[in-house]
C-alpha cells in the first residue's frame, strides 16, 4: 500500500557542453525505477558551411534560447516546477563558455524553485541513457562524438576507459572534413557526410589507418583526407585512374575511421570477455557504423545496441537521467560547488548506483 | 589479448586444410588472430601458425591491405630479431595475402605461469626475513633474463608494443638445471628456470626513439605490478639487467620517469 502511494521522482536536466542546448524531464518509477521520458527538447546552434561553432557564439546561443527551451520542456512534460525533485546540469567535459552559460542558468532555476542541484558528467550521461533505452545490461561502450572517442567498460563502480583517441575525436575529424568540403552543418555535418557516403563506394581511397593497441589517432587521417580533397578539386585521379568525387571521399573516410573504431571495440570486448556493445554519442547515429559494429558483434556471437538521434546526440534527458540516478543515492552538488570544468574524465565519477 | 573459448567452430585457413598437414590444434583465440599448433615440413617439427582471418565488417580492400601489412610487419620484426640474436621464435613460412605466419613452436610455459608457481606457496606479506633473501635467487635470475631479453630487443630498434609476462615464454633448459635438487624446492626452481623467449609481436613496431622504448618498459612494469603484485619489488632487477644488456639504457630509464609521471591519462577536451 505504501509503495503505491510513493511519488515518482522527477528531474530536469540541462545540457549545453557543445553546440546543442538540450533540456529534458525524466521520471523514475518509485517501485520499478523504470525511467519515463516526459520531454526532450533541443535547439542546435548551426554555423554556416565551411565554419565550426565557436565557444563565444555557442554560449550566446545557449543564453538566448535557454528560457524558451526550458518552458517548452515543462509544457511538453505537463509538469509544474514544484513537482521536480532536482535540477541536473552538465559539469563537463565540454567547451568552457557554453558549459558556464548553462550551469549559471541551471543554478538560477534551482534558486528560483528551491531545488537541489546535481552536476553530471556528460559521458556518464550518454552511457546511462544508452543503457536505459536499449536495455543492455553490462555492455562494452563505444562513446563517439565531436569531442570524445572512448571505449569504456564498467568495473567496480567506475566506467573505465580501455581505449581512446590520442588526438582529435572521430566526430571532430568528420566535422572538420565537412568544413573542408564546405557542405552544410544542418542538421549536423556528420549526417551530411553519411548521406554523401551512401552515393560513393566506387573506389576506396587510401587513407592512413592508425590503431595502437586499444587507442587510435585521427589527425593524420584528416590531413590526408584534406590533401585528397585538394587533389579532387584540381581534377586529379584516384587509384583506378578515374576522377573521384566528394561522395568517394566521404565513403573512404567513413570506411577507414569506422573500421578503426570497430577494431578497438572488438579488442576491448575480447579483453573483458563481453559480447554486448553499446554505441553512444552523436557519431553513434551513423547507420554505417552501427552496421559494421553489428557484423563484428555477430561474429562474436553477440549483438550491438544503439539508439537514434533523440538520445545519441547531446540532449537534456540523459543529464536528467544520470543526475537522478546519482540523486537517488544521496548525491547532490552544493550551490557553492556547482562549477563546471572542461576536463572531466569518465573514470573520475564514482558510480554508486551500480553494483 | 585474453583468450576465451571460441563461441563457434572457426573455419580453418586454407593452408591447414591440406591432407599433408598435421591436424591443427587451436591454442589461443584473440580479438583479431588465432594461434594454431601444427607441424612444418615434417611431422616431427612442431610449429605455431598465427592466422588473421578476414573481417566481414571491413571494406574488402582495406581488410586485405591491413591483414597483409600486419603479417608482413610481424614477420619482418621477427626476422630482424632473429638475425640480431634476440630470443624470439624463428619464422618458418608466411603468406601475407592469405593472412598467416608460421613460426617455430616454443616449448614451455608463459613466464606469468612460472612466476605464479614460484610465488604460490609464499605467505602474503611482503616483509621477507633476511634468511629467505638468498632463497629468491632463482626468481631474481629470471628477472635478469627478462631484462636481458628486453634490452636485446630494444638494442635492435624493435618495440614490442605489448610486453607482459604472458607474452614471454620460459623454454626449459636441456636436461633441467635443477638436477640434484629434489622435492618441492627443486620443482619451484624448475618453474622459474629456462630461457626467456619473447612472443606475440602483433603490435610491434620498429623505432629508435627513447620515448617508445620507455613506454614499452612502462607497459611491462604496469602489467607486472598488476599480474604479480607480490613480486613487484623485484622489478628493479629487470631494469638493472636491461641496463647491462643495452648501453643506451640510462636515457631510456630517464624517459621512463617522465612516462610514469604522465601515465596514460590524457585530460579530455570537449
Amino acid at each position: 500500500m505504501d509503495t503505491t502511494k510513493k511519488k515518482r521522482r522527477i528531474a530536469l536536466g540541462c545540457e549545453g557542453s557543445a553546440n546543442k542546448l538540450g533540456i529534458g524531464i525524466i521520471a523514475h518509477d518509485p517501485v520499478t525505477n523504470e525511467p519515463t521520458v516526459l520531454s526532450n527538447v533541443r535547439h542546435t546552434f548551426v554555423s554556416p558551411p565551411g565554419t565550426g561553432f565557436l565557444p563565444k557564439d555557442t554560449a550566446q546561443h545557449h543564453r538566448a534560447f535557454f528560457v524558451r527551451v526550458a518552458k517548452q520542456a515543462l509544457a511538453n512534460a505537463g509538469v509544474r516546477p514544484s513537482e521536480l525533485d532536482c535540477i541536473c546540469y552538465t559539469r563537463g567535459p565540454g567547451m568552457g563558455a557554453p558549459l558556464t552559460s548553462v550551469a549559471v542558468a541551471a543554478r538560477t532555476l534551482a534558486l528560483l524553485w528551491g531545488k537541489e542541484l546535481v552536476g553530471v558528467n556528460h559521458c556518464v550521461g550518454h552511457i546511462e541513457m544508452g543503457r536505459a533505452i536499449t536495455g543492455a545490461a553490462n555492455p562494452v561502450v563505444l562513446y563517439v562524438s565531436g569531442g570524445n572517442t572512448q571505449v569504456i567498460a564498467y568495473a567496480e563502480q567506475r566506467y573505465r576507459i580501455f581505449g581512446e583517441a590520442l588526438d582529435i575525436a572521430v566526430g571532430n575529424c568528420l566535422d572538420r572534413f565537412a568544413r573542408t568540403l564546405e557542405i552544410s552543418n544542418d542538421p549536423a555535418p556528420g549526417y551530411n557526410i553519411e548521406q554523401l557516403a551512401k552515393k560513393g563506394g566506387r573506389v576506396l581511397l587510401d587513407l592512413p589507418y592508425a590503431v595502437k593497441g586499444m587507442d587510435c589517432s585521427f589527425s593524420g587521417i584528416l590531413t590526408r583526407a584534406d590533401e585528397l580533397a585538394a587533389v579532387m578539386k584540381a581534377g586529379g585521379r584516384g587509384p583506378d585512374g578515374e576522377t573521384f568525387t566528394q561522395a568517394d571521399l566521404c565513403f573512404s573516410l567513413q570506411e577507414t575511421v569506422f573500421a578503426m573504431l570497430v577494431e578497438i571495440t572488438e579488442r576491448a570486448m575480447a579483453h573483458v570477455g563481453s559480447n554486448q556493445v553499446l554505441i553512444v554519442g552523436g557519431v553513434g547515429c551513423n547507420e554505417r557504423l552501427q552496421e559494421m559494429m553489428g557484423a563484428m558483434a555477430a561474429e562474436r556471437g553477440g549483438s550491438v545496441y544503439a539508439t537514434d538521434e533523440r538520445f545519441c546526440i547531446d540532449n537534456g534527458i540523459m543529464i536528467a537521467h544520470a543526475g537522478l540516478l546519482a540523486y537517488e543515492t544521496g548525491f547532490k552538488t552544493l550551490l557553492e560547488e556547482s562549477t563546471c570544468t572542461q576536463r572531466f574524465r569518465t573514470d573520475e565519477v564514482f558510480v554508486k548506483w551500480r553494483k | 589479448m585474453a583468450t576465451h573459448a571460441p563461441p563457434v567452430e572457426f573455419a580453418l585457413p586454407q593452408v591447414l586444410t591440406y591432407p599433408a598437414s598435421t591436424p591443427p590444434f587451436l591454442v589461443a583465440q584473440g580479438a583479431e588472430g588465432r594461434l594454431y599448433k601444427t607441424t612444418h615440413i615434417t611431422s616431427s617439427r612442431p610449429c605455431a601458425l598465427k592466422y588473421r582471418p578476414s573481417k566481414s565488417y571491413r571494406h574488402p580492400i582495406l581488410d586485405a591491405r591491413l591483414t597483409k601489412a600486419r603479417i608482413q610487419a610481424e614477420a619482418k620484426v621477427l626476422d630482424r630479431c632473429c638475425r640480431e640474436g634476440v630470443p624470439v621464435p624463428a619464422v618458418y613460412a608466411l603468406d601475407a595475402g592469405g593472412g598467416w605466419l608460421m613460426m617455430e613452436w616454443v616449448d614451455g610455459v608463459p613466464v606469468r605461469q612460472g612466476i605464479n608457481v614460484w610465488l604460490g606457496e609464499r605467505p602474503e606479506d611482503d616483509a621477507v626475513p633476511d634468511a629467505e633473501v638468498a632463497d629468491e635467487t632463482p626468481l631474481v635470475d629470471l628477472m635478469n633474463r627478462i631484462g636481458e631479453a628486453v634490452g636485446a630487443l630494444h638494442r635492435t630498434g624493435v618495440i614490442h608494443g605489448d610486453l607482459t609476462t604472458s607474452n614471454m615464454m620460459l623454454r626449459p633448459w636441456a636436461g633441467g638445471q635443477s638436477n640434484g635438487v629434489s622435492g618441492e624446492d627443486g620443482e619451484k626452481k624448475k618453474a622459474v628456470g629456462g630461457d626467456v623467449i619473447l612472443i606475440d609481436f602483433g603490435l610491434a613496431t620498429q623505432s629508435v626513439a627513447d620515448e617508445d622504448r620507455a613506454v614499452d618498459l612502462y607497459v611491462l612494469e604496469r602489467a607486472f605490478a598488476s599480474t604479480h603484485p607480490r613480486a613487484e619489488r623485484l622489478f628493479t632487477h629487470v631494469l638493472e639487467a636491461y641496463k647491462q644488456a643495452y648501453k643506451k639504457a640510462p636515457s631510456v630509464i630517464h624517459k621512463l620517469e617522465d612516462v610514469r609521471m604522465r601515465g596514460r591519462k590524457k585530460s579530455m577536451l570537449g
Side-chain angles (χ1 to χ4, degrees):
Chain A
M1 193 62 188
D2 264 359
T3 49
T4 51
K5 269 190 177 171
K6 251 205 252 169
K7 253 179 71 237
R8 60 180 184 164
R9 295 174 301 271
I10 304 176
L12 178 139
C14 312
E15 152 63 30
S17 62
N19 67 334
K20 287 84 167 179
L21 171 68
I23 300 184
I25 300 177
I26 203 159
H28 284 186
D29 188 277
V31 184
T32 61
N33 288 323
E34 274 303 303
T36 311
V37 176
L38 300 181
S39 67
N40 187 11
V41 183
R42 177 166 54 214
H43 197 279
T44 306
F45 171 60
V46 178
S47 57
T51 64
F53 52 91
L54 297 170
K56 187 183 156 207
D57 306 334
T58 312
Q60 197 169 29
H61 164 268
H62 291 358
R63 286 195 297 270
F65 281 89
F66 191 90
V67 174
R68 240 174 287 181
V69 173
K71 278 185 167 168
Q72 190 64 52
L74 284 168
N76 289 6
V79 167
R80 276 170 288 114
S82 60
E83 292 173 67
L84 297 173
D85 286 274
C86 57
I87 308 288
C88 313
Y89 75 98
T90 310
R91 261 204 86 201
M95 289 170 105
L99 275 174
T100 315
S101 300
V102 174
V104 168
R107 266 189 205 176
T108 310
L109 292 186
L111 287 172
L112 194 64
W113 298 334
K115 303 290 174 189
E116 305 272 24
L117 265 176
V118 179
V120 175
N121 179 298
H122 181 84
C123 316
V124 172
H126 270 297
I127 298 169
E128 290 304 345
M129 203 62 218
R131 285 179 60 227
I133 294 293
T134 62
N138 189 20
V140 165
V141 182
L142 176 69
Y143 171 28
V144 274
S145 68
N148 292 285
T149 305
Q150 302 180 339
V151 182
I152 302 158
Y154 174 81
E156 289 164 39
Q157 309 219 286
R158 284 194 199 268
Y159 286 110
R160 296 183 196 265
I161 303 170
F162 279 75
E164 62 191 312
L166 298 169
D167 39 49
I168 59 172
V170 62
N172 190 242
C173 176
L174 296 171
D175 289 352
R176 283 161 69 175
F177 190 61
R179 265 178 249 167
T180 304
L181 296 181
E182 294 185 31
I183 59 178
S184 168
N185 287 329
D186 187 23
Y191 177 82
N192 292 325
I193 285 187
E194 183 181 357
Q195 303 317 313
L196 265 174
K198 285 178 184 166
K199 297 181 201 139
R202 185 179 52 79
V203 284
L204 183 80
L205 299 155
D206 214 3
L207 290 169
Y209 186 95
V211 164
K212 248 189 150 187
M214 283 191 242
D215 296 331
C216 48
S217 152
F218 296 101
S219 59
I221 297 172
L222 177 62
T223 304
R224 183 72 191 123
D226 284 350
E227 283 170 7
L228 284 170
V231 170
M232 177 195 73
K233 279 176 193 162
R237 290 171 192 281
D240 58 352
E242 301 282 320
T243 52
F244 54 92
T245 61
Q246 284 194 340
D248 295 325
L249 277 168
C250 291
F251 174 80
S252 305
L253 181 62
Q254 278 202 167
E255 288 300 313
T256 306
V257 297
F258 293 166
M260 290 165 56
L261 295 175
V262 176
E263 178 174 354
I264 61 171
T265 309
E266 181 171 23
R267 210 166 276 160
M269 286 166 80
H271 193 82
V272 302
S274 164
N275 61 8
Q276 284 187 334
V277 55
L278 169 67
I279 315 179
V280 300
V283 183
C285 296
N286 191 297
E287 286 170 0
R288 177 59 186 146
L289 175 60
Q290 293 180 3
E291 182 191 358
M292 287 167 77
M293 197 64 86
M296 180 276 283
E299 265 175 35
R300 303 187 61 82
S303 46
V304 61
Y305 296 85
T307 59
D308 59 32
E309 57 84 28
R310 287 171 300 165
F311 304 107
C312 253
I313 295 177
D314 291 351
N315 59 80
I317 202 77
M318 68 184 203
I319 301 301
H321 178 57
L324 193 51
L325 285 172
Y327 182 73
E328 284 157 0
T329 67
F331 179 89
K332 61 187 173 199
T333 306
L334 298 176
L335 186 67
E336 51 271 29
E337 289 162 9
S338 61
T339 54
C340 49
T341 168
Q342 286 159 285
R343 294 170 180 79
F344 188 4
R345 282 182 70 87
T346 316
D347 50 12
E348 280 175 45
V349 178
F350 181 69
V351 183
K352 204 177 172 185
W353 54 91
R354 280 189 73 175
K355 292 251 161 24
Chain B
M1 270 197 277
T3 55
H4 292 281
V8 282
E9 203 57 46
F10 293 119
L12 287 174
Q14 200 180 10
V15 63
L16 291 179
T17 61
Y18 301 135
S21 74
T22 308
F25 169 71
L26 183 63
V27 183
Q29 149 76 10
E32 64 239 53
R34 294 173 207 144
L35 192 74
Y36 293 95
K37 183 179 181 178
T38 177
T39 58
H40 179 237
I41 302 180
T42 67
S43 59
S44 59
R45 183 151 121 131
C47 75
L49 184 129
K50 185 168 186 172
Y51 175 50
R52 289 180 178 272
S54 84
K55 298 284 187 186
S56 66
Y57 67 79
R58 276 201 290 247
H59 189 286
I61 294 174
L62 179 62
D63 187 66
R65 185 185 114 200
L66 288 176
T67 305
K68 192 174 170 189
R70 286 171 178 182
I71 293 283
Q72 277 172 340
E74 188 166 354
K76 261 184 205 159
V77 160
L78 286 173
D79 181 54
R80 183 168 180 173
C81 287
C82 255
R83 274 186 284 127
E84 310 244 355
V86 184
V88 299
V91 175
Y92 287 167
L94 76 149
D95 176 355
W100 60 261
L101 172 67
M102 213 178 243
M103 294 165 284
E104 177 186 358
W105 179 260
V106 181
D107 276 323
V109 298
V111 167
R112 169 180 45 81
Q113 199 178 325
I115 295 178
N116 284 342
V117 169
W118 172 270
L119 293 173
E121 308 290 324
R122 300 180 61 86
E124 282 289 332
D125 62 309
D126 264 359
V128 182
D130 283 348
E132 269 195 61
V133 173
D135 201 24
E136 269 182 344
T137 322
L139 188 54
V140 170
D141 282 348
L142 173 58
M143 296 296 130
N144 289 333
R145 294 197 302 279
I146 294 173
E148 274 169 34
V150 178
L153 179 76
H154 284 183
R155 205 170 51 215
T156 48
V158 172
I159 305 298
H160 185 281
D162 190 19
L163 280 177
T164 63
T165 49
S166 305
N167 284 338
M168 299 172 184
M169 297 293 286
L170 270 175
R171 183 162 60 198
W173 285 310
Q177 294 231 325
S178 57
N179 276 356
V181 190
S182 58
E184 198 187 304
D185 239 32
E187 280 304 306
K188 275 170 62 176
K189 266 189 194 165
K190 213 173 161 184
V192 291
D195 290 323
V196 171
I197 314 287
L198 305 173
I199 59 163
D200 195 358
F201 283 72
L203 290 172
T205 50
Q206 305 208 29
S207 162
V208 289
D210 281 347
E211 165 78 20
D212 294 331
R213 290 176 173 133
V215 169
D216 221 19
L217 286 180
Y218 180 68
V219 168
L220 177 61
E221 185 176 64
R222 288 281 298 270
F224 197 86
S226 58
T227 326
H228 315 288
R230 280 188 285 151
E232 195 183 347
R233 68 208 147 78
L234 295 180
F235 192 76
T236 51
H237 294 282
V238 174
L239 295 181
E240 279 306 313
Y242 177 79
K243 278 187 210 161
Q244 298 296 320
Y246 174 44
K247 76 174 190 300
K248 286 188 192 146
S251 60
V252 178
I253 305 271
H254 187 73
K255 198 86 191 174
L256 177 61
E257 300 285 331
D258 294 348
V259 177
R260 278 190 193 126
M261 293 291 285
R262 167 156 42 99
R264 70 180 283 280
K265 277 208 164 186
K266 181 189 81 155
S267 59
M268 297 193 314
L269 255 177

